[in-house]
Amino acid sequence: MRTLRFLLEKEFRQILRNRQLLRTLLIAPLIQLILLPLAADYSVKNISLVVVDNDHSPFSQKLIAKITASGHFRLTGYTASYKEALQMVEQDKADIALQIPIHFERDLVRENTKQVYMAVNAIEGTKANLGSTYLNSIISDYNTDIRLRWQSIPSAPTTANTSSTPTTPTPGAATSPTPIVAATSSTPTISTSSSNWYNPYMNFKLYMVPAILVVLITAMTAMQSAFNIVQEKESGTIEQINVTPIKKHIFIIGKMIPFLVLGLILFTLGLLVGWIFYGIIPIGSLLVLYASLLVYLFAMLGLGLLLATYSGTQQQAMSLAFFFINIFNMMSGVFTAVDSMPGWAQAIVSTFPPSHFIKIMRMVVLKGSGFADIIYPLTAMAAIGLFLNTWAVLNYRKTT
Amino acid sequence: MRQLLTFIRKEFLHVFRDRKTLLMLFGLPIAQIVLFGFALSNEIKDSRIAVVDYSKDPVTTHIISKIAASDYFDIQRSLASADQLQTAFKKGNIKLAVIFPSGFGDDLMHTGNATMQVIADASDPNQATTITNYMNQIINDYNAELAKDAHQPMQIVPELQMLYNPELRGAPNFVPGVMALVLMLVCTMMTSVAIVKEKELGTMEILLVSPFKPIYIIIAKLAPNLLISVLNLFIILLLSYLFLDLPVKGSLLLLVTCSILFILTSLSIGLLLSISAKTQQAAMMGSLMGMMLPTMLLTGFLFPIENMPLALQVLSNIVPSRWYFIIVKRVMLKGLGLTSVWKEMSILSGMCLLLFAISLRKFKIRLQ
């Protein structure tokens, strides 16, 4: 026990003496935490639209006006031919090309049906999805409008329904589209009333800030712990420690605790930043958050330790850690949802501690989940942490 | 010349002797392309939902079976009451809940209108919007079925065509992004750490006192990384073609030229970083902390740049990978030619020359 105390004293002194390092470890992540969630916005606004109107009739003009009035789209082009419109999509000047064919109004009235053509740049799935859905629902609304107007004769009009309006991100908990139901409708209609729970203002920052904080902590803890030990290996001081009667596990605990403390400090500062700059106050209990944080740090420091046992030079440690961190960052559900992945990928992701911790963070901060709710990710993290740490301790040899 | 070649050979030996680093250098892009190409996707399917049916009549049963049959939803629970919803949401088991009030079918028949409730977990706002829309679509379809007999006049039929990526796969968006990210990060980190390592070990001193010109030192240091990155590029393109069904639609020569340009730019950034860093740790942390997240976020493949606040949009213009990403998308996915990318190419070349010039300038030939 005494040896542990002395070890810890040495470690903390070394860290505190290295001012440049402290700055990189604490200040850089916080600055990134402040600036980067501003960039992390998946909401789809200002979809650029190019329109080809071959009909030039009141119907087509009204449709175009309705589309541009919706606020989702920005009319960036009004070309004479479909070919030109497609060129604009090629050049990234427009995301969607809409063509209203000739005789649009005439055929709608006479033959009761007419097509309109949409070409969507589908490289980015979310934008394509949402863009086409919005456009479809606006066209459907417009359809209903002209039908009603065309048939606004005193006899019972046929039904109309607008349950197709998408839940546009408007503030307020419930957005219920009121159906335009005629007084005596011959066909019944179902309408939906939708509400958004836990994030009524559809604020992306609430979703991204906890995740970005986890990303920053991951990078810091895994890399730093690996680096620290390997630095000793490179400079030769580890030889001196190895010849002392110090026990393996005391040495390892002595190395891990300072970074555990640093991780806790960074997390606390991160929560403060989230509160001050983004107004994010965790709904769940802080106890749950910190307990999960401890388990998570245990797992990540174990990983760093493991990597250190396999590295001879700092460059190697860096390469290995970078490999894992990069994969963690992309696959742990920070930027894309884990649920969208195929089964085998989800299985792989479940072995990553960050994916569990990000899930826990989002659940506790946004929904107020308690210990009972997070028991599965928590135990998963603990199990992985135990595995990594045991492997690392077994692998570490005092004698080379 | 012979001196330069000897030095380049020395650098190559350094790099290739280090197995573990080689693993990362080649393994990372391969792992990333394979994993991300297959795993990452923006498509939302099989969302787990819960159904609360207070009414339990033929209408609601029919609607529920329609929902269950759809690819988009996977009914996890049929809850007895709406009070259980909070717990289900909190456990993260469901993303959406549908509530049918009692007497649903009766209301529908007698008053011609019935309202059902759709509650989405808006933690992820986009997901919530999308699955709510899917649900609305299903209800729409049901309404259309009900109205089928009354021949609806004036039906506008939208015909939708998804360009470049009809199946909405994630790969076309992510592979160019991963290419840009990996090439930039690997080049920057490897170069900066390599140079600083010599400084730390003291061998830089020896190099500097030799009659060897500093520019040759730099060229020698950059050469192996350049080669490795070009190899990586070809491996990535091959993997994309074989496994992800993403061939290079445009000119391969153009793509490789632009990629080399981009690699040179990243190498110059690494060079610049190495000059200011004193320890390997600082160099690595600097390139990681200072470059990883900003590059990821500001390249434009994770988040659309036009969504960002103006200040960040301006900032993203400085990130070279942003321009490279545009070039790769246009040449590889859309099959466009030089005329469409000359603007981005000239920006990249400008950045490359500028960074190179600055780092040459600042390269200290004395040890300070």
Side-chain angles (χ1 to χ4, degrees):
Chain A
M1 251 322 115
R2 268 183 74 231
T3 34
L4 185 60
R5 235 190 65 214
F6 286 130
L7 264 187
L8 287 179
E9 201 181 321
K10 157 193 165 287
E11 290 299 327
F12 275 110
R13 273 202 202 199
Q14 277 185 325
I15 292 180
L16 289 174
R17 269 188 203 152
N18 195 342
R19 292 271 157 210
Q20 199 192 33
L21 189 66
L22 263 188
R23 251 181 288 142
T24 339
L25 286 183
L26 289 181
I27 312 258
L30 290 179
I31 296 185
Q32 295 196 329
L33 188 61
I34 298 176
L35 292 177
L36 294 173
L38 293 175
D41 192 354
Y42 260 137
S43 58
V44 181
K45 350 174 203 186
N46 289 330
I47 306 173
S48 33
L49 180 70
V50 56
V51 175
V52 185
D53 186 358
N54 284 329
D55 195 34
H56 301 292
S57 63
F59 268 22
S60 61
Q61 300 286 352
K62 281 223 183 70
L63 176 59
I64 298 174
K66 198 177 161 78
I67 293 176
T68 45
S70 72
H72 291 298
F73 298 98
R74 228 177 8 151
L75 194 62
T76 53
Y78 194 81
T79 57
S81 73
Y82 195 48
K83 193 161 145 226
E84 282 171 26
L86 278 183
Q87 258 177 357
M88 282 187 75
V89 176
E90 259 182 13
Q91 295 283 327
D92 287 326
K93 293 204 180 86
D95 296 314
I96 304 185
L98 175 71
Q99 184 193 35
I100 304 176
I102 196 168
H103 298 317
F104 177 61
E105 179 172 343
R106 189 192 76 178
D107 287 343
L108 262 186
V109 175
R110 274 206 222 153
E111 326 227 355
N112 273 336
T113 177
K114 189 64 181 175
Q115 277 85 355
V116 293
Y117 301 96
M118 298 191 274
V120 181
N121 177 355
I123 290 186
E124 217 204 295
T126 322
K127 212 188 215 184
N129 246 337
L130 286 175
S132 56
T133 318
Y134 286 154
L135 204 54
N136 265 330
S137 55
I138 295 178
I139 292 179
S140 169
D141 275 356
Y142 177 71
N143 212 170
T144 320
D145 271 350
I146 54 176
R147 226 181 263 143
L148 267 184
R149 229 166 291 183
W150 193 255
Q151 295 159 332
S152 56
I153 27 182
S155 56
T158 42
T159 63
N161 84 72
T162 45
S163 61
S164 57
T165 359
T167 320
T168 48
T170 49
T175 53
S176 39
T178 40
I180 310 173
V181 176
T184 50
S185 34
S186 44
T187 42
T189 52
I190 304 177
S191 40
T192 55
S193 143
S194 17
S195 7
N196 288 309
W197 280 9
Y198 307 121
N199 189 359
Y201 292 96
M202 301 294 245
N203 185 355
F204 261 104
K205 314 260 186 320
L206 286 184
Y207 186 61
M208 294 305 298
V209 168
I212 293 185
L213 181 57
V214 173
V215 166
L216 292 170
I217 292 185
T218 311
M220 199 271 286
T221 45
M223 281 235 155
Q224 261 320 106
S225 50
F227 242 54
N228 196 304
I229 298 184
V230 180
Q231 215 174 15
E232 295 224 21
K233 264 202 222 182
E234 260 192 3
S235 61
T237 54
I238 213 167
E239 286 275 317
Q240 297 171 334
I241 292 194
N242 282 343
V243 298
T244 63
I246 237 182
K247 295 259 193 288
K248 248 200 320 194
H249 61 272
I250 300 273
F251 171 64
I252 288 177
I253 295 178
K255 279 278 173 207
M256 281 192 30
I257 291 188
F259 293 109
L260 202 75
V261 171
L262 268 178
L264 281 171
I265 295 180
L266 187 58
F267 185 74
T268 316
L269 288 177
L271 283 183
L272 278 175
V273 163
W275 173 46
I276 297 177
F277 286 89
Y278 293 108
I280 298 177
I281 306 178
I283 297 191
S285 99
L286 285 177
L287 181 64
V288 175
L289 269 183
Y290 277 96
S292 328
L293 176 69
L294 279 176
V295 177
Y296 179 63
L297 284 176
F298 174 64
M300 289 317 283
L301 289 173
L303 177 67
L305 190 61
L306 184 63
L307 295 178
T309 57
Y310 278 110
S311 316
T313 65
Q314 287 190 41
Q315 203 177 25
Q316 288 178 344
M318 173 194 81
S319 312
L320 287 176
F322 182 63
F323 179 78
F324 284 105
I325 287 180
N326 224 326
I327 297 198
F328 286 167
N329 277 344
M330 297 293 291
M331 297 245 308
S332 296
V334 184
F335 306 111
T336 58
V338 178
D339 300 315
S340 306
M341 299 186 195
W344 58 268
Q346 290 198 26
I348 297 181
V349 169
S350 64
T351 62
F352 296 166
S355 66
H356 295 292
F357 190 50
I358 289 176
K359 202 160 153 216
I360 293 180
M361 278 285 280
R362 282 181 172 150
M363 290 207 307
V364 175
V365 170
L366 290 177
K367 297 194 267 195
S369 309
F371 269 118
D373 303 314
I374 61 170
I375 199 99
Y376 169 63
L378 200 61
T379 20
M381 277 199 309
I384 300 172
L386 205 61
F387 171 67
L388 288 173
N389 277 293
T390 320
W391 186 1
V393 169
L394 287 177
N395 205 20
Y396 179 74
R397 297 229 171 290
K398 278 182 85 177
T399 56
T400 35
Chain B
M1 205 56 213
R2 256 193 57 214
Q3 285 178 331
L4 181 62
L5 285 176
T6 319
F7 261 91
I8 293 185
R9 190 162 156 261
K10 155 193 164 292
E11 292 299 329
F12 267 96
L13 282 176
H14 269 180
V15 172
F16 282 99
R17 272 187 195 151
D18 191 351
R19 292 285 150 84
K20 301 198 176 80
T21 309
L22 268 188
L23 167 72
M24 190 276 283
L25 284 179
F26 285 112
L28 183 63
I30 297 177
Q32 286 206 325
I33 292 288
V34 169
L35 279 177
F36 303 160
F38 282 119
L40 292 182
S41 147
N42 273 324
E43 226 194 332
I44 300 180
K45 280 201 303 193
D46 290 325
S47 308
R48 291 163 299 171
I49 66 170
V51 174
V52 182
D53 188 0
Y54 284 129
S55 170
K56 294 199 191 4
D57 55 43
V59 181
T60 57
T61 325
H62 189 182
I63 299 180
I64 295 176
S65 63
K66 261 186 87 80
I67 298 177
S70 134
D71 262 342
Y72 293 134
F73 296 110
D74 174 23
I75 300 190
Q76 275 276 311
R77 307 263 151 98
S78 288
L79 298 174
S81 108
D83 304 326
Q84 302 171 324
L85 278 181
Q86 277 271 8
T87 329
F89 273 129
K90 275 198 196 173
K91 278 210 192 316
N93 287 335
I94 55 168
K95 296 212 159 25
L96 183 93
V98 177
I99 306 182
F100 293 102
S102 62
F104 188 75
D106 295 332
D107 280 341
L108 192 62
M109 288 310 144
H110 294 163
T111 64
N113 179 37
T115 309
M116 54 186 268
Q117 224 188 345
V118 173
I119 301 180
D121 179 353
S123 302
D124 179 353
N126 257 1
Q127 222 181 32
T129 313
T130 312
I131 53 180
T132 312
N133 280 339
Y134 287 161
M135 183 60 79
N136 282 332
Q137 260 180 329
I138 296 183
I139 302 298
N140 248 0
D141 284 348
Y142 186 74
N143 281 332
E145 265 179 36
L146 291 177
K148 220 187 273 209
D149 300 321
H151 292 279
Q152 288 282 39
M154 301 175 80
Q155 184 70 25
I156 305 178
V157 180
E159 299 255 333
L160 181 61
Q161 183 195 11
M162 294 286 194
L163 299 169
Y164 313 126
N165 181 13
E167 298 146 32
L168 285 184
R169 292 184 300 146
N173 191 38
F174 285 110
V175 167
V178 167
M179 267 168 74
L181 188 71
V182 165
L183 285 180
M184 173 161 200
L185 284 181
V186 167
C187 292
T188 332
M189 268 202 340
M190 294 309 297
T191 315
S192 59
V193 171
I195 297 183
V196 177
K197 185 171 173 191
E198 295 234 12
K199 264 202 251 182
E200 259 190 13
L201 289 178
T203 53
M204 186 61 101
E205 198 172 349
I206 302 179
L207 280 179
L208 291 175
V209 300
S210 68
F212 206 48
K213 286 216 189 80
I215 180 153
Y216 289 152
I217 301 180
I218 294 179
I219 295 181
K221 282 260 169 248
L222 295 186
N225 284 324
L226 176 62
L227 182 71
I228 291 179
S229 303
V230 172
L231 275 176
N232 261 334
L233 175 70
F234 279 113
I235 294 179
I236 292 177
L237 289 176
L238 194 68
L239 283 177
S240 310
Y241 172 56
L242 286 178
F243 290 113
L244 297 175
D245 205 15
L246 265 188
V248 179
K249 282 204 190 134
S251 145
L252 185 61
L253 183 62
L254 181 61
L255 188 61
V256 174
T257 317
C258 295
S259 307
I260 294 185
L261 199 55
F262 178 62
I263 293 172
L264 287 173
T265 317
S266 312
L267 292 174
S268 320
I269 298 180
L271 196 57
L272 208 53
L273 262 173
S274 73
I275 292 174
S276 48
K278 298 247 178 339
T279 61
Q280 281 183 63
Q281 209 179 33
M284 192 216 66
M285 271 302 173
S287 56
L288 200 70
M289 284 300 192
M291 304 228 56
M292 185 170 74
L293 261 188
T295 310
M296 276 208 294
L297 292 185
L298 295 178
T299 306
F301 78 105
L302 285 174
F303 303 105
I305 297 184
E306 57 259 14
N307 272 355
M308 303 182 194
L310 195 60
L312 283 176
Q313 285 193 32
V314 169
L315 198 64
S316 77
N317 287 331
I318 310 183
V319 181
S321 51
R322 181 229 168 132
W323 303 108
Y324 180 62
F325 180 56
I326 296 180
I327 295 178
V328 173
K329 270 200 299 186
R330 293 218 184 133
V331 174
M332 189 169 161
L333 297 176
K334 291 187 188 169
L336 300 175
L338 189 57
T339 43
S340 324
V341 298
W342 67 268
K343 198 175 102 175
E344 285 77 20
M345 267 182 82
S346 34
I347 296 180
L348 262 187
S349 343
M351 276 190 205
C352 182
L353 287 171
L354 185 68
L355 287 167
F356 212 64
I358 297 180
S359 27
L360 271 184
R361 255 292 149 91
K362 298 189 78 183
F363 190 75
K364 300 191 197 97
I365 54 173
R366 308 212 180 291
L367 286 174
Q368 250 86 26

